[in-house]
Amino acid sequence: AAASASGVTSRPDVACNQCGDTPSLGAGPEEAHDLILKTWSVPGPFRWEGDHYQLRVVNPWAMPLQKPHPRVWVPGISSKETIVWAAFYYLFPALLLEWERDLGWSKTALAGAFTLSLMIFAALAPVAGRLIDRGYEREVFSGSALLGALALMALSQVTSLWHFYAIWVLLGVAMAGCLYEACFAVLTRLMGERARQAITRVTLVAGLAGTVAFPGANVLTDLLGWRGAVMVFSVSVVVVALPLIWIGCT
């Protein structure tokens, strides 16, 4: 919806902070979200006096057809979760038979690395949550995704079993900082009481990760070999997921 805000800005979604302080990562965007929803649903003109934004006159001149307002989605985080789940979690079962056949290690030995990774994931997830609660959501999210992408690059070159285990230890650390637990902590911090609907939507979208990982890994393996497939997943995290993390945490 288009609107004018007299004396402050011509767009409510980029309203300036007259107090001179940058809005906090949690409360500022949350208030901006409330302002945009009001602009979509309440005929103007009206005055907005918030903790972070002060607008003397907000006058919407084109109201949306959806009532009470268009649905609000979280595409940055949702899409990112699909990618990192596919790359860091579902890649293991998708390529397990390829690794057994090419590297000559048993399923038991291979599964041990993944089990160790999940144990590290479970142990470190509360630590990631505490860091997110302290305001380090972008560092935790971005750093974890980057670590996972680098680990996948190393995985594409693996030749020994201990190397394989060491890589999955790193992937366990990465998963603790960018899968559901960390994602939901970020949504709760940024959106407060509105996080419930966002969490549901992220879960639904990220549920496509298995659908992406299995056929994607099979097709890429046929074209490039399993090492090339792992590299493609790694690059997708860097090129697609990391920018979405930056947007989603904003």
Side-chain angles (χ1 to χ4, degrees), residues 149-214:
L150 294 175
L152 289 181
M153 291 180 185
L155 181 60
S156 70
Q157 307 300 315
V158 70
T159 56
S160 60
L161 188 58
W162 76 266
H163 187 194
F164 189 81
Y165 270 71
I167 291 168
W168 280 100
V169 167
L170 295 178
L171 284 168
V173 176
M175 287 190 285
C178 63
L179 294 191
Y180 278 152
E181 289 75 8
C183 176
F184 296 162
V186 171
L187 288 174
T188 300
R189 171 172 163 75
L190 296 182
M191 303 187 70
E193 295 180 356
R194 291 186 298 275
R196 183 175 300 178
Q197 289 185 346
I199 288 172
T200 301
R201 291 166 182 166
V202 168
T203 304
L204 291 174
V205 175
L208 298 172
T211 305
V212 172
F214 282 90

Short mmCIF file of all heavy atoms in Angstrom, two decimals, residues 149-214:
data_model
loop_
_atom_site.label_atom_id
_atom_site.label_comp_id
_atom_site.label_asym_id
_atom_site.label_seq_id
_atom_site.Cartn_x
_atom_site.Cartn_y
_atom_site.Cartn_z
N ALA A 149 29.26 -24.31 4.99
CA ALA A 149 29.63 -24.30 3.57
C ALA A 149 31.10 -24.69 3.39
O ALA A 149 31.44 -25.46 2.49
CB ALA A 149 29.37 -22.92 2.98
N LEU A 150 31.97 -24.17 4.25
CA LEU A 150 33.39 -24.53 4.17
C LEU A 150 33.60 -26.00 4.48
O LEU A 150 34.45 -26.67 3.86
CB LEU A 150 34.20 -23.66 5.14
CG LEU A 150 34.24 -22.16 4.81
CD1 LEU A 150 34.96 -21.39 5.92
CD2 LEU A 150 34.92 -21.92 3.48
N ALA A 151 32.83 -26.52 5.44
CA ALA A 151 32.93 -27.95 5.76
C ALA A 151 32.51 -28.81 4.58
O ALA A 151 33.12 -29.86 4.31
CB ALA A 151 32.08 -28.26 7.00
N LEU A 152 31.48 -28.38 3.86
CA LEU A 152 31.06 -29.13 2.67
C LEU A 152 32.14 -29.10 1.59
O LEU A 152 32.35 -30.10 0.89
CB LEU A 152 29.75 -28.56 2.12
CG LEU A 152 28.49 -28.82 2.94
CD1 LEU A 152 27.28 -28.20 2.25
CD2 LEU A 152 28.25 -30.31 3.16
N MET A 153 32.80 -27.96 1.45
CA MET A 153 33.91 -27.90 0.49
C MET A 153 34.99 -28.91 0.86
O MET A 153 35.54 -29.60 -0.01
CB MET A 153 34.49 -26.49 0.45
CG MET A 153 33.57 -25.46 -0.16
SD MET A 153 34.33 -23.80 -0.19
CE MET A 153 32.96 -22.83 -0.81
N ALA A 154 35.28 -29.00 2.16
CA ALA A 154 36.27 -29.99 2.61
C ALA A 154 35.76 -31.40 2.39
O ALA A 154 36.53 -32.31 2.03
CB ALA A 154 36.60 -29.76 4.08
N LEU A 155 34.45 -31.60 2.59
CA LEU A 155 33.87 -32.93 2.39
C LEU A 155 34.03 -33.40 0.95
O LEU A 155 34.22 -34.60 0.69
CB LEU A 155 32.39 -32.89 2.77
CG LEU A 155 31.61 -34.21 2.66
CD1 LEU A 155 32.20 -35.28 3.56
CD2 LEU A 155 30.13 -33.97 2.99
N SER A 156 33.97 -32.47 0.02
CA SER A 156 34.11 -32.85 -1.39
C SER A 156 35.51 -33.38 -1.71
O SER A 156 35.71 -33.98 -2.77
CB SER A 156 33.81 -31.65 -2.29
OG SER A 156 34.83 -30.67 -2.20
N GLN A 157 36.47 -33.16 -0.80
CA GLN A 157 37.85 -33.62 -1.03
C GLN A 157 38.26 -34.75 -0.09
O GLN A 157 39.42 -35.14 -0.06
CB GLN A 157 38.82 -32.44 -0.84
CG GLN A 157 38.49 -31.21 -1.65
CD GLN A 157 38.48 -31.48 -3.14
OE1 GLN A 157 39.39 -32.14 -3.66
NE2 GLN A 157 37.47 -30.96 -3.84
N VAL A 158 37.33 -35.28 0.67
CA VAL A 158 37.66 -36.25 1.71
C VAL A 158 38.24 -37.54 1.11
O VAL A 158 37.80 -38.01 0.06
CB VAL A 158 36.41 -36.56 2.57
CG1 VAL A 158 35.38 -37.35 1.78
CG2 VAL A 158 36.78 -37.27 3.85
N THR A 159 39.24 -38.09 1.80
CA THR A 159 39.85 -39.35 1.36
C THR A 159 40.03 -40.36 2.49
O THR A 159 40.28 -41.53 2.25
CB THR A 159 41.23 -39.10 0.71
OG1 THR A 159 42.07 -38.40 1.64
CG2 THR A 159 41.09 -38.30 -0.58
N SER A 160 39.94 -39.89 3.75
CA SER A 160 40.16 -40.78 4.88
C SER A 160 39.00 -40.67 5.86
O SER A 160 38.30 -39.66 5.92
CB SER A 160 41.47 -40.45 5.59
OG SER A 160 41.45 -39.11 6.08
N LEU A 161 38.81 -41.74 6.65
CA LEU A 161 37.66 -41.80 7.55
C LEU A 161 37.76 -40.75 8.66
O LEU A 161 36.75 -40.13 9.03
CB LEU A 161 37.53 -43.20 8.14
CG LEU A 161 36.26 -43.48 8.96
CD1 LEU A 161 35.01 -43.24 8.11
CD2 LEU A 161 36.28 -44.90 9.51
N TRP A 162 38.95 -40.53 9.21
CA TRP A 162 39.08 -39.54 10.28
C TRP A 162 38.76 -38.14 9.77
O TRP A 162 38.19 -37.32 10.48
CB TRP A 162 40.48 -39.60 10.90
CG TRP A 162 41.57 -38.97 10.07
CD1 TRP A 162 42.39 -39.59 9.19
CD2 TRP A 162 41.92 -37.58 10.05
NE1 TRP A 162 43.25 -38.68 8.60
CE2 TRP A 162 42.99 -37.45 9.13
CE3 TRP A 162 41.47 -36.45 10.73
CZ2 TRP A 162 43.60 -36.23 8.85
CZ3 TRP A 162 42.06 -35.23 10.46
CH2 TRP A 162 43.12 -35.12 9.54
N HIS A 163 39.16 -37.90 8.52
CA HIS A 163 38.83 -36.63 7.88
C HIS A 163 37.30 -36.48 7.76
O HIS A 163 36.74 -35.41 8.03
CB HIS A 163 39.49 -36.61 6.49
CG HIS A 163 39.37 -35.28 5.78
ND1 HIS A 163 39.65 -35.14 4.44
CD2 HIS A 163 38.99 -34.06 6.22
CE1 HIS A 163 39.45 -33.87 4.09
NE2 HIS A 163 39.05 -33.21 5.15
N PHE A 164 36.65 -37.55 7.37
CA PHE A 164 35.19 -37.56 7.25
C PHE A 164 34.53 -37.23 8.59
O PHE A 164 33.61 -36.41 8.66
CB PHE A 164 34.75 -38.93 6.74
CG PHE A 164 33.30 -39.04 6.37
CD1 PHE A 164 32.84 -38.60 5.14
CD2 PHE A 164 32.38 -39.59 7.26
CE1 PHE A 164 31.51 -38.70 4.79
CE2 PHE A 164 31.04 -39.71 6.92
CZ PHE A 164 30.60 -39.26 5.68
N TYR A 165 35.04 -37.84 9.66
CA TYR A 165 34.48 -37.58 11.00
C TYR A 165 34.72 -36.13 11.42
O TYR A 165 33.84 -35.48 11.99
CB TYR A 165 35.10 -38.53 12.01
CG TYR A 165 34.33 -39.82 12.18
CD1 TYR A 165 34.31 -40.78 11.19
CD2 TYR A 165 33.60 -40.07 13.34
CE1 TYR A 165 33.60 -41.97 11.33
CE2 TYR A 165 32.88 -41.25 13.51
CZ TYR A 165 32.89 -42.19 12.50
OH TYR A 165 32.17 -43.35 12.65
N ALA A 166 35.92 -35.62 11.15
CA ALA A 166 36.23 -34.24 11.54
C ALA A 166 35.32 -33.24 10.83
O ALA A 166 34.85 -32.26 11.43
CB ALA A 166 37.69 -33.93 11.22
N ILE A 167 35.01 -33.52 9.58
CA ILE A 167 34.13 -32.63 8.83
C ILE A 167 32.73 -32.64 9.41
O ILE A 167 32.07 -31.60 9.55
CB ILE A 167 34.12 -33.03 7.34
CG1 ILE A 167 35.47 -32.71 6.71
CG2 ILE A 167 32.98 -32.35 6.60
CD1 ILE A 167 35.67 -33.32 5.35
N TRP A 168 32.25 -33.82 9.80
CA TRP A 168 30.90 -33.88 10.35
C TRP A 168 30.83 -33.29 11.76
O TRP A 168 29.77 -32.84 12.20
CB TRP A 168 30.37 -35.30 10.30
CG TRP A 168 29.86 -35.61 8.92
CD1 TRP A 168 30.50 -36.29 7.94
CD2 TRP A 168 28.62 -35.16 8.36
NE1 TRP A 168 29.75 -36.31 6.80
CE2 TRP A 168 28.58 -35.63 7.03
CE3 TRP A 168 27.55 -34.42 8.84
CZ2 TRP A 168 27.51 -35.37 6.18
CZ3 TRP A 168 26.48 -34.16 8.00
CH2 TRP A 168 26.46 -34.63 6.69
N VAL A 169 31.95 -33.24 12.45
CA VAL A 169 31.99 -32.48 13.71
C VAL A 169 31.74 -31.01 13.42
O VAL A 169 30.93 -30.34 14.09
CB VAL A 169 33.34 -32.67 14.42
CG1 VAL A 169 33.51 -31.64 15.55
CG2 VAL A 169 33.43 -34.08 15.00
N LEU A 170 32.40 -30.47 12.40
CA LEU A 170 32.19 -29.07 12.02
C LEU A 170 30.76 -28.83 11.57
O LEU A 170 30.16 -27.79 11.89
CB LEU A 170 33.17 -28.68 10.91
CG LEU A 170 34.65 -28.67 11.27
CD1 LEU A 170 35.50 -28.31 10.05
CD2 LEU A 170 34.91 -27.68 12.41
N LEU A 171 30.20 -29.78 10.83
CA LEU A 171 28.82 -29.63 10.38
C LEU A 171 27.85 -29.66 11.55
O LEU A 171 26.81 -29.00 11.53
CB LEU A 171 28.48 -30.71 9.35
CG LEU A 171 29.06 -30.47 7.95
CD1 LEU A 171 28.92 -31.70 7.08
CD2 LEU A 171 28.37 -29.27 7.29
N GLY A 172 28.17 -30.41 12.59
CA GLY A 172 27.34 -30.40 13.79
C GLY A 172 27.33 -29.04 14.45
O GLY A 172 26.28 -28.55 14.89
N VAL A 173 28.49 -28.40 14.49
CA VAL A 173 28.57 -27.03 15.03
C VAL A 173 27.75 -26.08 14.16
O VAL A 173 27.00 -25.23 14.66
CB VAL A 173 30.03 -26.56 15.10
CG1 VAL A 173 30.11 -25.11 15.57
CG2 VAL A 173 30.83 -27.47 16.04
N ALA A 174 27.87 -26.23 12.85
CA ALA A 174 27.14 -25.35 11.93
C ALA A 174 25.63 -25.54 12.08
O ALA A 174 24.87 -24.56 12.11
CB ALA A 174 27.57 -25.64 10.49
N MET A 175 25.17 -26.78 12.18
CA MET A 175 23.74 -27.02 12.30
C MET A 175 23.17 -26.42 13.58
O MET A 175 22.02 -25.96 13.61
CB MET A 175 23.45 -28.53 12.24
CG MET A 175 23.61 -29.12 10.85
SD MET A 175 23.00 -30.83 10.71
CE MET A 175 24.31 -31.73 11.55
N ALA A 176 23.95 -26.41 14.65
CA ALA A 176 23.47 -25.84 15.91
C ALA A 176 23.15 -24.36 15.77
O ALA A 176 22.29 -23.84 16.49
CB ALA A 176 24.52 -26.04 17.00
N GLY A 177 23.81 -23.67 14.84
CA GLY A 177 23.63 -22.24 14.71
C GLY A 177 22.73 -21.79 13.59
O GLY A 177 22.50 -20.58 13.44
N CYS A 178 22.20 -22.74 12.76
CA CYS A 178 21.39 -22.26 11.63
C CYS A 178 20.22 -23.15 11.26
O CYS A 178 19.54 -22.86 10.27
CB CYS A 178 22.28 -22.02 10.41
SG CYS A 178 23.09 -23.48 9.76
N LEU A 179 19.95 -24.22 12.01
CA LEU A 179 18.75 -25.01 11.74
C LEU A 179 17.59 -24.50 12.60
O LEU A 179 17.61 -23.39 13.10
CB LEU A 179 19.03 -26.49 11.94
CG LEU A 179 20.04 -27.12 10.95
CD1 LEU A 179 20.03 -28.65 11.07
CD2 LEU A 179 19.77 -26.71 9.51
N TYR A 180 16.56 -25.32 12.76
CA TYR A 180 15.31 -24.84 13.35
C TYR A 180 15.47 -24.16 14.71
O TYR A 180 14.87 -23.12 14.96
CB TYR A 180 14.34 -26.01 13.52
CG TYR A 180 13.58 -26.38 12.29
CD1 TYR A 180 13.13 -27.69 12.09
CD2 TYR A 180 13.27 -25.44 11.31
CE1 TYR A 180 12.41 -28.04 10.97
CE2 TYR A 180 12.56 -25.78 10.18
CZ TYR A 180 12.13 -27.10 10.01
OH TYR A 180 11.42 -27.45 8.90
N GLU A 181 16.26 -24.77 15.60
CA GLU A 181 16.34 -24.23 16.96
C GLU A 181 16.82 -22.78 16.94
O GLU A 181 16.22 -21.90 17.57
CB GLU A 181 17.27 -25.09 17.82
CG GLU A 181 16.72 -26.46 18.18
CD GLU A 181 16.73 -27.45 17.05
OE1 GLU A 181 17.31 -27.13 15.99
OE2 GLU A 181 16.18 -28.56 17.22
N ALA A 182 17.90 -22.53 16.21
CA ALA A 182 18.42 -21.17 16.13
C ALA A 182 17.46 -20.27 15.36
O ALA A 182 17.24 -19.11 15.74
CB ALA A 182 19.79 -21.18 15.45
N CYS A 183 16.89 -20.78 14.29
CA CYS A 183 15.96 -19.99 13.49
C CYS A 183 14.76 -19.55 14.31
O CYS A 183 14.35 -18.37 14.27
CB CYS A 183 15.50 -20.82 12.29
SG CYS A 183 14.25 -20.01 11.27
N PHE A 184 14.19 -20.45 15.09
CA PHE A 184 13.02 -20.11 15.88
C PHE A 184 13.37 -19.12 16.99
O PHE A 184 12.56 -18.27 17.36
CB PHE A 184 12.40 -21.38 16.47
CG PHE A 184 11.86 -22.33 15.44
CD1 PHE A 184 11.61 -23.66 15.76
CD2 PHE A 184 11.63 -21.92 14.14
CE1 PHE A 184 11.12 -24.53 14.81
CE2 PHE A 184 11.15 -22.79 13.17
CZ PHE A 184 10.90 -24.10 13.52
N ALA A 185 14.59 -19.24 17.52
CA ALA A 185 15.03 -18.27 18.52
C ALA A 185 15.12 -16.87 17.91
O ALA A 185 14.74 -15.88 18.54
CB ALA A 185 16.39 -18.68 19.10
N VAL A 186 15.61 -16.78 16.67
CA VAL A 186 15.70 -15.49 16.00
C VAL A 186 14.30 -14.92 15.75
O VAL A 186 14.04 -13.73 15.99
CB VAL A 186 16.47 -15.61 14.67
CG1 VAL A 186 16.37 -14.33 13.86
CG2 VAL A 186 17.94 -15.94 14.95
N LEU A 187 13.40 -15.75 15.25
CA LEU A 187 12.04 -15.28 14.98
C LEU A 187 11.36 -14.80 16.25
O LEU A 187 10.67 -13.77 16.26
CB LEU A 187 11.22 -16.40 14.34
CG LEU A 187 11.57 -16.75 12.89
CD1 LEU A 187 10.79 -17.96 12.43
CD2 LEU A 187 11.30 -15.58 11.97
N THR A 188 11.56 -15.52 17.34
CA THR A 188 10.95 -15.12 18.61
C THR A 188 11.52 -13.79 19.07
O THR A 188 10.79 -12.92 19.56
CB THR A 188 11.19 -16.20 19.67
OG1 THR A 188 10.60 -17.42 19.23
CG2 THR A 188 10.56 -15.80 20.99
N ARG A 189 12.82 -13.60 18.89
CA ARG A 189 13.45 -12.35 19.32
C ARG A 189 12.98 -11.18 18.45
O ARG A 189 12.71 -10.09 18.96
CB ARG A 189 14.98 -12.49 19.24
CG ARG A 189 15.73 -11.19 19.45
CD ARG A 189 17.23 -11.42 19.54
NE ARG A 189 17.96 -10.18 19.34
CZ ARG A 189 18.06 -9.21 20.25
NH1 ARG A 189 17.47 -9.33 21.42
NH2 ARG A 189 18.74 -8.11 19.98
N LEU A 190 12.86 -11.39 17.14
CA LEU A 190 12.53 -10.30 16.24
C LEU A 190 11.04 -9.99 16.20
O LEU A 190 10.65 -8.84 16.00
CB LEU A 190 13.01 -10.62 14.81
CG LEU A 190 14.51 -10.76 14.59
CD1 LEU A 190 14.80 -11.04 13.12
CD2 LEU A 190 15.23 -9.50 15.04
N MET A 191 10.20 -11.02 16.38
CA MET A 191 8.77 -10.84 16.14
C MET A 191 7.91 -10.94 17.39
O MET A 191 6.72 -10.66 17.34
CB MET A 191 8.30 -11.86 15.10
CG MET A 191 9.04 -11.79 13.78
SD MET A 191 8.34 -12.85 12.51
CE MET A 191 6.80 -11.99 12.18
N GLY A 192 8.49 -11.36 18.51
CA GLY A 192 7.72 -11.42 19.75
C GLY A 192 6.54 -12.36 19.65
O GLY A 192 6.67 -13.52 19.23
N GLU A 193 5.35 -11.85 20.01
CA GLU A 193 4.16 -12.70 20.03
C GLU A 193 3.73 -13.14 18.64
O GLU A 193 3.00 -14.13 18.51
CB GLU A 193 3.01 -11.94 20.70
CG GLU A 193 3.26 -11.64 22.19
CD GLU A 193 2.11 -10.90 22.81
OE1 GLU A 193 1.15 -10.55 22.07
OE2 GLU A 193 2.14 -10.67 24.04
N ARG A 194 4.17 -12.45 17.61
CA ARG A 194 3.80 -12.84 16.25
C ARG A 194 4.66 -13.96 15.70
O ARG A 194 4.47 -14.39 14.56
CB ARG A 194 3.89 -11.63 15.32
CG ARG A 194 2.84 -10.57 15.59
CD ARG A 194 2.91 -9.49 14.53
NE ARG A 194 4.21 -8.81 14.55
CZ ARG A 194 4.50 -7.80 15.36
NH1 ARG A 194 3.60 -7.35 16.20
NH2 ARG A 194 5.68 -7.22 15.33
N ALA A 195 5.61 -14.43 16.47
CA ALA A 195 6.55 -15.44 15.97
C ALA A 195 5.87 -16.77 15.69
O ALA A 195 6.35 -17.54 14.86
CB ALA A 195 7.69 -15.64 16.96
N ARG A 196 4.76 -17.06 16.36
CA ARG A 196 4.14 -18.38 16.20
C ARG A 196 3.76 -18.66 14.75
O ARG A 196 4.06 -19.73 14.21
CB ARG A 196 2.92 -18.49 17.11
CG ARG A 196 2.24 -19.85 17.06
CD ARG A 196 1.11 -19.93 18.06
NE ARG A 196 1.60 -19.72 19.43
CZ ARG A 196 0.81 -19.69 20.48
NH1 ARG A 196 -0.51 -19.86 20.35
NH2 ARG A 196 1.32 -19.50 21.69
N GLN A 197 3.09 -17.72 14.11
CA GLN A 197 2.70 -17.92 12.71
C GLN A 197 3.92 -18.01 11.81
O GLN A 197 3.96 -18.83 10.89
CB GLN A 197 1.78 -16.79 12.25
CG GLN A 197 0.39 -16.82 12.88
CD GLN A 197 -0.52 -15.76 12.31
OE1 GLN A 197 -0.05 -14.83 11.64
NE2 GLN A 197 -1.81 -15.87 12.57
N ALA A 198 4.91 -17.18 12.07
CA ALA A 198 6.12 -17.22 11.25
C ALA A 198 6.83 -18.55 11.39
O ALA A 198 7.33 -19.11 10.41
CB ALA A 198 7.05 -16.08 11.65
N ILE A 199 6.89 -19.09 12.60
CA ILE A 199 7.53 -20.38 12.83
C ILE A 199 6.79 -21.47 12.06
O ILE A 199 7.42 -22.36 11.45
CB ILE A 199 7.57 -20.69 14.34
CG1 ILE A 199 8.61 -19.80 15.02
CG2 ILE A 199 7.88 -22.16 14.59
CD1 ILE A 199 8.60 -19.89 16.53
N THR A 200 5.47 -21.42 12.07
CA THR A 200 4.69 -22.41 11.31
C THR A 200 5.01 -22.33 9.83
O THR A 200 5.22 -23.37 9.16
CB THR A 200 3.19 -22.18 11.54
OG1 THR A 200 2.90 -22.30 12.93
CG2 THR A 200 2.37 -23.19 10.77
N ARG A 201 5.08 -21.13 9.30
CA ARG A 201 5.35 -20.96 7.87
C ARG A 201 6.76 -21.39 7.51
O ARG A 201 6.99 -22.03 6.47
CB ARG A 201 5.10 -19.51 7.47
CG ARG A 201 3.64 -19.13 7.51
CD ARG A 201 3.42 -17.63 7.46
NE ARG A 201 2.00 -17.31 7.55
CZ ARG A 201 1.52 -16.11 7.80
NH1 ARG A 201 2.36 -15.11 8.00
NH2 ARG A 201 0.23 -15.90 7.87
N VAL A 202 7.72 -21.04 8.35
CA VAL A 202 9.10 -21.47 8.09
C VAL A 202 9.18 -22.99 8.09
O VAL A 202 9.84 -23.60 7.24
CB VAL A 202 10.04 -20.87 9.15
CG1 VAL A 202 11.41 -21.55 9.09
CG2 VAL A 202 10.20 -19.38 8.95
N THR A 203 8.50 -23.63 9.05
CA THR A 203 8.52 -25.10 9.13
C THR A 203 7.94 -25.72 7.87
O THR A 203 8.48 -26.70 7.33
CB THR A 203 7.72 -25.57 10.35
OG1 THR A 203 8.26 -24.95 11.53
CG2 THR A 203 7.82 -27.08 10.51
N LEU A 204 6.85 -25.15 7.36
CA LEU A 204 6.22 -25.69 6.16
C LEU A 204 7.13 -25.54 4.95
O LEU A 204 7.31 -26.48 4.16
CB LEU A 204 4.88 -24.98 5.91
CG LEU A 204 3.76 -25.28 6.90
CD1 LEU A 204 2.56 -24.41 6.62
CD2 LEU A 204 3.36 -26.75 6.84
N VAL A 205 7.74 -24.36 4.79
CA VAL A 205 8.60 -24.13 3.63
C VAL A 205 9.87 -24.98 3.73
O VAL A 205 10.30 -25.61 2.76
CB VAL A 205 8.95 -22.64 3.50
CG1 VAL A 205 9.95 -22.41 2.38
CG2 VAL A 205 7.68 -21.83 3.25
N ALA A 206 10.47 -25.00 4.91
CA ALA A 206 11.72 -25.76 5.08
C ALA A 206 11.48 -27.26 4.99
O ALA A 206 12.43 -28.03 4.76
CB ALA A 206 12.36 -25.42 6.43
N GLY A 207 10.21 -27.68 5.15
CA GLY A 207 9.90 -29.10 4.98
C GLY A 207 10.18 -29.62 3.57
O GLY A 207 10.22 -30.83 3.34
N LEU A 208 10.38 -28.70 2.63
CA LEU A 208 10.72 -29.09 1.26
C LEU A 208 12.19 -29.47 1.11
O LEU A 208 12.60 -29.88 0.03
CB LEU A 208 10.41 -27.94 0.30
CG LEU A 208 8.95 -27.50 0.22
CD1 LEU A 208 8.83 -26.23 -0.61
CD2 LEU A 208 8.09 -28.61 -0.35
N ALA A 209 12.97 -29.36 2.18
CA ALA A 209 14.41 -29.61 2.08
C ALA A 209 14.71 -31.02 1.60
O ALA A 209 15.59 -31.24 0.77
CB ALA A 209 15.08 -29.36 3.43
N GLY A 210 13.99 -32.01 2.15
CA GLY A 210 14.21 -33.38 1.70
C GLY A 210 13.86 -33.56 0.24
O GLY A 210 14.55 -34.27 -0.51
N THR A 211 12.80 -32.89 -0.20
CA THR A 211 12.39 -32.95 -1.61
C THR A 211 13.46 -32.35 -2.50
O THR A 211 13.65 -32.80 -3.64
CB THR A 211 11.06 -32.20 -1.79
OG1 THR A 211 10.09 -32.72 -0.88
CG2 THR A 211 10.55 -32.34 -3.20
N VAL A 212 14.15 -31.34 -2.00
CA VAL A 212 15.23 -30.72 -2.77
C VAL A 212 16.49 -31.58 -2.74
O VAL A 212 17.14 -31.78 -3.77
CB VAL A 212 15.53 -29.31 -2.22
CG1 VAL A 212 16.79 -28.73 -2.87
CG2 VAL A 212 14.34 -28.39 -2.42
N ALA A 213 16.83 -32.10 -1.56
CA ALA A 213 18.12 -32.76 -1.38
C ALA A 213 18.24 -34.07 -2.15
O ALA A 213 19.23 -34.31 -2.83
CB ALA A 213 18.37 -33.00 0.11
N PHE A 214 17.24 -34.94 -2.04
CA PHE A 214 17.39 -36.27 -2.62
C PHE A 214 17.44 -36.26 -4.15
O PHE A 214 18.41 -36.77 -4.74
CB PHE A 214 16.28 -37.19 -2.10
CG PHE A 214 16.53 -37.69 -0.70
CD1 PHE A 214 16.07 -36.98 0.39
CD2 PHE A 214 17.24 -38.86 -0.48
CE1 PHE A 214 16.31 -37.41 1.68
CE2 PHE A 214 17.49 -39.31 0.80
CZ PHE A 214 17.03 -38.58 1.89
#
